[in-house]
C-alpha cells in the first residue's frame, strides 16, 4: 500500500516523515515551487511512502553454509536487520547477551514459539538464532521485528 502526502517546506517534510514512523522506503518527487495560492516562491514536495513496511525489502537468502551450533545442523541465511540490534539469551527479552552491529547478518534458524516480540505483523512470536558480533561468538536470539527481510526462508530450529 502506498501513502501519498503533500508536504510544504523542508523542515515540515522531515517532521512529517519522522512522525509517521513507517519503515518502508520514501520516494520524493519534484513538484512546483508555488505557495498555496499559486504564487512562485513556496517549495512543495510530493512524497510517496511504501507502508508495506520492512517486509518489502525481500526475503532472507541462503548463505551457502551449514551451521551446527548447539542445535540440529541448519542452512544459514543472510537477512537484512536493523543495527545495532540486541541479541538475547533466549527467545525473550530477559537477558541481553550481545549485539549485532552490522545491517546484514547470518541467521541459523527461527523459533515461532518465543515470547511476544512487539511486532504487529505476521510473526509476533518469531525469534531468530544468531551469533552476535559483540562480544564475538556469543550465541543468542534476535526478535523478528528487528529483521528487515522476510524470514520465512530461514529453517525452523525444532523440526518435527
Amino acid at each position: 500500500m502506498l501513502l501519498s502526502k503533500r508536504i510544504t517546506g523542508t523542515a515540515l517534510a522531515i517532521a512529517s516523515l519522522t512522525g509517521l514512523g513507517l519503515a518502508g522506503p520514501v520516494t520524493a518527487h519534484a513538484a512546483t515551487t508555488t505557495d498555496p495560492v499559486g504564487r512562485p516562491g513556496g517549495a512543495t514536495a510530493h512524497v510517496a511512502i511504501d507502508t508495506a513496511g520492512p517486509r518489502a525489502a525481500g526475503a532472507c537468502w541462503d548463505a551457502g553454509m551449514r551451521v551446527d551450533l548447539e542445535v540440529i545442523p541448519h542452512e544459514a541465511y543472510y537477512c537484512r536487520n536493523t543495527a545495532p540490534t540486541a541479541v538475547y539469551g533466549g527467545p525473550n527479552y530477559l537477558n541481553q547477551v550481545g549485539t549485532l552491529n552490522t545491517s546484514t547478518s547470518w541467521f541459523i534458524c527461527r523459533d515461532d514459539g518465543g515470547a511476544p516480540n512487539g511486532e504487529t505483523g505476521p510473526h509476533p512470536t518469531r525469534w531468530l538464532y544468531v551469533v552476535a558480533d559483540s562480544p564475538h561468538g556469543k550465541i543468542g536470539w534476535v526478535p523478528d521485528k528487528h529483521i528487515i527481510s522476510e524470514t520465512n526462508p530461514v529453517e525452523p530450529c525444532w523440526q518435527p
Side-chain angles (χ1 to χ4, degrees), residues 6 9 15 17 20 34 38 41 45 47 52 59 61 65 93 95 105 113 115 121 135-136 140 150 152 159-160:
R6 184 182 167 115
L17 293 174
L20 289 173
T34 59
V47 179
W61 63 99
M65 63 181 164
Y93 289 106
N95 179 32
S105 303
H136 180 68
E150 171 52 60
N152 279 340
Q159 299 187 14

Side-chain angles (χ1 to χ4, degrees), residues 99-153:
T99 305
L100 292 179
N101 299 316
T102 58
S103 59
T104 299
S105 303
W106 55 272
F107 295 87
I108 301 164
C109 59
R110 62 180 164 89
D111 179 5
D112 287 310
N117 61 30
E119 180 178 341
T120 57
H123 313 301
T125 60
R126 180 175 288 177
W127 292 71
L128 288 96
Y129 200 56
V130 67
V131 177
D133 295 324
S134 62
H136 180 68
K138 197 69 173 168
I139 300 168
W141 298 87
V142 170
D144 185 78
K145 77 179 214 169
H146 294 295
I147 310 299
I148 297 165
S149 305
E150 171 52 60
T151 56
N152 279 340

